[in-house]
């Protein structure tokens, strides 16, 4: 097989890239190790930045999202038993975020790609990258037991944190920046109408809790837990009881309970590799960086990377110039580090750290008080949460 851009991974990064390239008249083939049904059912992110929403609409992929998604123009920060609203609309000149599940985005992207005759090879196994330091890289894999080969001009490594693309780069090229947190999130999806119209991020002595949602009938809730938390120790009643304690307010906030549809534990880390490119291989999304989910940024950052990559590839196929492609890593990393900073900051503002002293606790509460009472500080949170502007600018000297 032969194509212009071989895309490894059918997550948000790989699929959005395939659509952007199609719009620019560039051919691509997506290789995905999982079956279609699996990627269309995997429960993950839920918050789309305004820029992500606008891009999906521009690509005519947002029809179902606009019908079924929930536009939110604020969040609540809850601490010391009181809620404080951060008003995005007012603080950002009218911007907001869309609550729409990642796997629904995936369904929409896959359906549109298949309908347009685009190729996605599901259940591609033993994927291996070859000759990535040349202008004729090759991807070898197996499908239904048969050995396959895909020749391309470029490879987009969109295969997430545990993929193979990052590790195909020779050792010594990449520099890794990594931070693990001493906690994880226990997440549930529940058949219960959300107890609040907007997301609630709660800082509590017992640990962080988050109330989110997927629809007017389905709640998505998270609890800070140990990174290796054993789900068997968390029967549904215990989860509800703990959520109730951490989300409690002085005026008797009532959590709506319901049947738990899904449970899982997610570890938390901050991770970046530099550069995000080697030879003909460009890393995008979680294959190059991970953020803790507290800022709701991972999917959105993956989409921002592939916007840059698509523009670079478009310039190359239109004019033969590699100017943007050569600056791909530099352009992306500028945003990546700002998003790392924000996600780390939201995480440290809201979680209980095992090593916390009484001093740290007071400082954290003072910071929450400041963020929710200062126009400057709440504007900083709001403009980051709804999404920083997309830029291709040069790095400042
Ligand atoms: P992925 O979505 O991981 O996609 C990679 C794809 O590559 C997968 O389909 C995988 O099967 C495939 N693959 C892997 N290896 C291979 C291989 N060798 N060959 C071929 N294919 C391969 N982000 C937000 O923006 N907002 C949120 O609210 C948010 N909440 C989150 C909550 C949780 C609990 C979690 C876990 C994550 C959350 N995120 C959130 C992060 C977000 O889900 C990820 O950042 C996003 O999925 C990254 O997209 P991606 O396309 O880079 O990678
Ligand atoms: C979610 O709804 O899954 C969600 C919302 C906000 C976050 C992380 C996850 O910060």
């Amino acid at each position: 097989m032969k194509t212009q851009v071989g895309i490894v991974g059918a997550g948000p990064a790989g699929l959005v890239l395939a659509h952007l390239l199609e719009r620019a008249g560039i051919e691509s083939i997506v290789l995905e190790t999982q079956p279609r049904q699996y990627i269309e059912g995997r429960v993950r992110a839920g918050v789309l930045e305004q820029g992500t929403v606008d891009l999906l609409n521009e690509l005519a992929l947002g029809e179902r999202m606009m019908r079924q998604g929930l536009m939110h123009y604020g969040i609540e920060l809850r601490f010391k038993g009181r809620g404080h609203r951060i008003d995005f609309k007012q603080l950002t000149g009218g911007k907001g975020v869309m609550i729409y599940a990642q796997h629904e985005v995936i369904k929409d992207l896959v359906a549109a790609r298949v309908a347009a005759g685009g190729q996605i090879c599901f259940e591609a196994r033993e994927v291996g990258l070859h000759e990535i330091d040349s202008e004729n890289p090759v991807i070898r894999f197996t499908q239904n037991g048969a050995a396959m080969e895909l020749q391309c001009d470029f490879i987009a490594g969109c295969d997430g944190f545990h993929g193979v693309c990052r590790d195909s780069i020779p050792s010594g090229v990449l520099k890794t920046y990594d931070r693990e947190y001493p906690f994880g999130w226990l997440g549930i999806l529940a058949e219960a109408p959300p107890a609040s119209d907007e997301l609630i991020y709660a800082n509590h002595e017992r640990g962080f809790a988050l109330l989110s949602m997927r629809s007017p009938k389905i709640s998505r809730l998270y609890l800070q837990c140990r990174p290796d938390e054993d789900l068997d120790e968390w029967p549904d009643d215990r989860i509800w009881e703990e959520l109730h304690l951490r989300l409690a307010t002085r005026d008797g906030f009532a959590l709506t309970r319901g049947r738990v549809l899904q449970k899982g534990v997610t570890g938390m880390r901050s991770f970046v590799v530099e550069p995000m490119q080697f030879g003909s291989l460009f890393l995008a999304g979680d294959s190059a960086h991970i953020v803790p989910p507290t800022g709701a940024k991972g999917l959105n950052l993956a989409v921002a990377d592939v916007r840059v990559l698509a523009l670079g590839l478009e310039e190359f196929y239109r004019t033969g110039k590699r100017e943007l492609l050569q600056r791909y890593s530099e352009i992306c990393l500028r945003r990546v580090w700002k998003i790392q900073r924000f996600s780390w900051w939201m995480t440290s503002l809201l979680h209980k750290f095992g090593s916390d002293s009484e001093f740290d606790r007071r400082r954290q509460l003072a910071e929450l008080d400041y963020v929710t009472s200062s126009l400057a500080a709440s504007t900083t949170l709001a403009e980051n949460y709804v999404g920083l502007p997309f830029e291709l600018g040069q790095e400042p000297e």
Side-chain angles (χ1 to χ4, degrees), residues 293-364:
T294 328
K297 289 288 169 224
L299 180 159
N300 296 292
L301 193 52
V303 170
D305 286 350
V306 297
R307 280 178 80 175
V308 180
L309 183 52
L311 287 171
L313 291 166
E314 203 177 333
E315 178 186 66
F316 173 77
Y317 283 111
R318 223 170 1 94
T319 67
K321 286 193 195 140
R322 288 176 184 263
E323 243 165 68
L324 265 180
L325 283 179
Q326 275 160 1
R327 288 178 48 226
Y328 170 74
S329 187
E330 169 213 311
I331 295 170
C332 288
L333 284 167
R334 237 185 123 189
R335 184 181 191 89
V336 166
W337 278 109
K338 282 186 240 176
I339 303 301
Q340 287 291 351
R341 183 209 68 82
F342 176 67
S343 302
W344 162 85
W345 175 76
M346 283 286 278
T347 303
S348 43
L349 180 70
L350 291 160
H351 289 75
K352 183 182 166 77
F353 284 72
S355 54
D356 280 0
S357 63
E358 208 32 47
F359 178 87
D360 291 321
R361 176 79 191 132
R362 298 285 159 141
R363 186 193 47 72
Q364 199 183 43

Side-chain angles (χ1 to χ4, degrees), residues 5-21 28-34 39 42 44 102 106 109 120-122 127 129 132 139 150 152 154-169 273 276-277 280-290 298-299 301-310 313 328 332:
V5 183
I7 301 176
V8 186
L15 291 170
V16 170
L17 179 63
H19 282 280
L20 286 167
L21 294 179
S28 69
I29 293 180
V30 179
L31 304 182
E32 166 60 49
T33 202
Q34 298 291 345
I39 64 163
R42 186 166 46 188
R44 292 178 85 181
Q102 176 166 335
I106 296 290
L109 295 175
I120 307 175
C121 300
F122 291 102
V127 176
L129 276 48
I132 53 171
I139 309 175
L150 177 62
C152 30
F154 298 98
I155 298 176
C158 303
D159 52 347
F161 185 66
H162 300 287
V164 294
C165 291
R166 189 177 63 246
D167 291 342
S168 309
I169 296 175
V273 291
M276 289 168 56
Q277 179 244 338
S280 305
L281 170 64
F282 293 78
L283 301 177
D286 279 15
S287 74
H289 41 69
I290 293 282
L299 180 159
L301 193 52
V303 170
D305 286 350
V306 297
R307 280 178 80 175
V308 180
L309 183 52
L313 291 166
Y328 170 74
C332 288

Side-chain angles (χ1 to χ4, degrees), residues 48-95:
L48 309 181
E49 290 176 357
Q50 184 83 57
T52 305
V53 170
D54 294 345
L55 182 71
L56 292 174
N57 280 327
E58 241 179 67
L59 290 165
L61 295 165
E63 191 265 330
R64 204 163 63 93
M65 169 187 74
M66 296 311 285
R67 254 189 306 117
Q68 295 179 4
L70 308 167
M71 244 348 250
H72 281 195
Y73 291 99
I75 55 167
E76 182 182 319
L77 295 184
R78 191 171 281 187
F79 56 99
K80 287 167 103 180
R82 286 209 174 91
H84 306 259
R85 183 166 190 262
I86 306 288
D87 186 334
F88 296 158
K89 201 173 211 167
Q90 201 180 16
L91 295 167
T92 66
K95 291 187 191 153

